[in-house]
Amino acid sequence: MNSTTSPAATGPAGSRLEGHVGAQYLLPLLSGGEARGLPGVMVTGVAFQRAGFNNPMDDVIVIGHDHQGRPATLELQAKRTIAFTARDHIFAEVVALACRAVAKPEFETTRYELAVAIARTSTKIEQHIQEVLKWAREYHDAEGFFRRLNQPGASHLAMRDFVGAFRDHMREASAAHDDRSVRLLLSRFQVLAFDFEQPGSICNLLAHDRCVMQLVPQDAMRAGELWDSLQQIALQVDAVGGGMDATTLRERLTSERGYRLAGNRSLHIAREQLAGIAENTLATIDSRVHGVAIERGSLVATALSNLEQGRYLEILGAGGVGKSGILKDLAQRIGFESRLFVIAPHRITGGGWVALASLLGCQVSAHEFLTDLAGD
């Protein structure tokens, strides 16, 4: 394969997905940034096919640390298709691997996330499965989670079927499958859709934008080539079950492929500041009515489906119908896998980007900062 041939255009579909997903995680390693599925964590290493090193979900393993130096891990399996049902053997295989990860001593004492990467999402995934995973993270006890799940009118049958299938697969794997164990594993489980097979793929577009930022300005036209190179490197390292840190990756790109890379633009501090602003803004939105949680899962799923068709979404409606509640629910769901930028009237410093950048401690332009955020 020559340096200008994209892995997305050759090889079996499974390998293409692994190459694409692997490259998505090499990008934050290269930039000193954060990875999708691990918001708030600076990536320090990416490895592939490491089951022999006690990483059960081993297609991609991402390691890093948060701003306090605490370690974090994301183990990920790439599955082009998966049904998430009781009879789906691929789902059973993923859950069995996840159960092996749960058995590790560090699973409950450190930040340890598990994910399945898919090439195409669906209404069922966005409307029901993602909602269950969100609930599992919101409730810190199994009793509250299952009470809401089993409450008449509070959940959909598809949500209960998914949890039931999850429990059955845990039982088949000879793992603990009581309520506490099920909620714990669900609270660390993510479903991440990478749309690289879709026409006008947003994942590919954002990856290209981030590649531009990694090159010196004179080489910006090589961004597409850099993205292809990262996919090739991911497949090569995957084939031998290896791993790399940022220094190794940069060396391969510069010495072997002749890229001239820009300096490390770590935006971790600015991202932390932004997270605080977003959290405070969301806290002012009351999404309950007289203390009762309103079910908005179908509306949020529709919003996410519309976002699949473009980069922007406008939510319209009369005053008091719950637009802000939908926005908050949407933001909280996305916030489990990536950073949020939530703004509201009277909650942003005046003076434009210069003032906001100073508040955030950000040293790059607004375009570069937003491009970096959008990338994960």
Side-chain angles (χ1 to χ4, degrees):
M1 183 183 298
N2 62 55
S3 62
T4 61
T5 303
S6 170
T10 61
S15 296
R16 295 204 308 272
L17 177 60
E18 288 188 22
H20 176 88
V21 173
Q24 288 281 354
Y25 289 97
L26 290 181
L27 260 175
L29 178 64
L30 179 63
S31 67
E34 299 179 12
R36 185 176 174 191
L38 279 180
V41 173
M42 183 182 301
V43 177
T44 58
V46 178
F48 303 84
Q49 305 299 334
R50 307 288 276 186
F53 292 84
N54 200 23
N55 291 113
M57 298 182 70
D58 68 338
D59 282 347
V60 183
I61 303 98
V62 184
I63 59 172
H65 58 77
D66 64 15
H67 70 285
Q68 295 182 329
R70 295 173 297 195
T73 303
L74 170 66
E75 288 189 10
L76 188 147
Q77 286 294 112
K79 298 296 181 184
R80 191 167 180 272
T81 59
I82 183 169
F84 296 108
T85 63
R87 296 183 178 182
D88 181 14
H89 71 278
I90 296 177
F91 184 33
E93 173 192 328
V94 169
V95 174
L97 293 173
C99 289
R100 289 172 54 191
V102 172
K104 299 172 69 170
E106 62 267 36
F107 187 83
E108 290 201 48
T109 59
T110 66
R111 183 172 177 183
Y112 210 115
E113 298 284 339
L114 306 170
V116 57
I118 57 176
R120 187 187 299 268
T121 189
S122 66
T123 300
K124 174 186 174 182
I125 292 172
E126 298 303 334
Q127 186 169 336
H128 304 306
I129 294 176
Q130 298 288 22
E131 187 73 359
V132 166
L133 300 180
K134 173 176 173 286
W135 288 5
R137 289 175 183 266
E138 289 178 338
Y139 287 90
H140 297 291
D141 64 279
E143 181 180 358
F145 170 73
F146 279 100
R147 182 168 57 247
R148 184 174 183 183
L149 182 69
N150 296 320
Q151 180 181 345
S155 67
H156 192 278
L157 176 61
M159 299 168 69
R160 298 189 293 274
D161 285 347
F162 169 72
V163 175
F166 206 92
R167 189 195 298 270
D168 288 344
H169 293 320
M170 292 175 69
R171 181 189 299 111
E172 292 166 3
S174 300
H177 51 276
D178 57 283
D179 284 357
R180 177 187 178 278
S181 299
V182 172
R183 190 215 64 89
L184 174 63
L185 184 49
L186 287 170
S187 72
R188 303 287 189 89
F189 193 82
Q190 300 184 48
V191 179
L192 304 176
F194 294 87
D195 71 343
F196 81 104
E197 293 183 342
Q198 305 302 310
S201 166
I202 298 298
C203 285
N204 279 329
L205 179 61
L206 294 175
H208 180 277
D209 289 347
R210 294 180 91 179
C211 285
V212 171
M213 294 174 57
Q214 302 314 309
L215 296 164
V216 297
Q218 303 92 315
D219 286 359
M221 73 291 294
R222 297 188 68 189
E225 186 183 345
L226 174 58
W227 176 229
D228 286 343
S229 293
L230 289 172
Q231 293 179 76
Q232 292 168 20
I233 290 172
L235 288 173
Q236 291 165 0
V237 179
D238 179 271
V240 298
M244 58 178 54
D245 56 18
T247 300
T248 304
L249 178 58
R250 295 177 77 88
E251 176 64 23
R252 289 191 64 167
L253 290 170
T254 55
S255 64
E256 296 179 11
R257 300 171 184 251
Y259 292 105
R260 294 186 295 174
L261 301 175
N264 190 325
R265 298 185 181 184
S266 177
L267 299 171
H268 197 63
I269 294 176
R271 281 170 166 259
E272 285 292 325
Q273 291 289 97
L274 187 67
I277 294 174
E279 184 177 347
N280 291 336
T281 304
L282 288 175
T284 66
I285 300 175
D286 188 0
S287 59
R288 294 170 176 260
V289 176
H290 298 296
V292 178
I294 303 301
E295 175 56 43
R296 300 185 176 92
S298 61
L299 294 172
V300 173
T302 299
L304 288 169
S305 176
N306 287 332
L307 274 173
E308 291 283 319
Q309 310 305 316
R311 300 184 70 170
Y312 304 97
L313 171 69
E314 185 176 15
I315 301 174
L316 301 173
V321 299
K323 299 185 299 297
S324 295
I326 295 172
L327 172 65
K328 183 172 183 176
D329 199 322
L330 182 65
Q332 289 176 329
R333 184 183 296 189
I334 294 173
F336 292 132
E337 64 179 73
S338 63
R339 292 289 197 185
L340 299 169
F341 188 7
V342 186
I343 58 176
H346 315 302
R347 298 190 68 86
I348 286 291
T349 302
W353 173 248
V354 173
L356 182 57
S358 177
L359 177 65
L360 297 175
C362 184
Q363 303 299 317
V364 302
S365 70
H367 174 77
E368 290 175 308
F369 185 50
L370 293 173
T371 295
D372 185 75
L373 285 173
D376 56 291

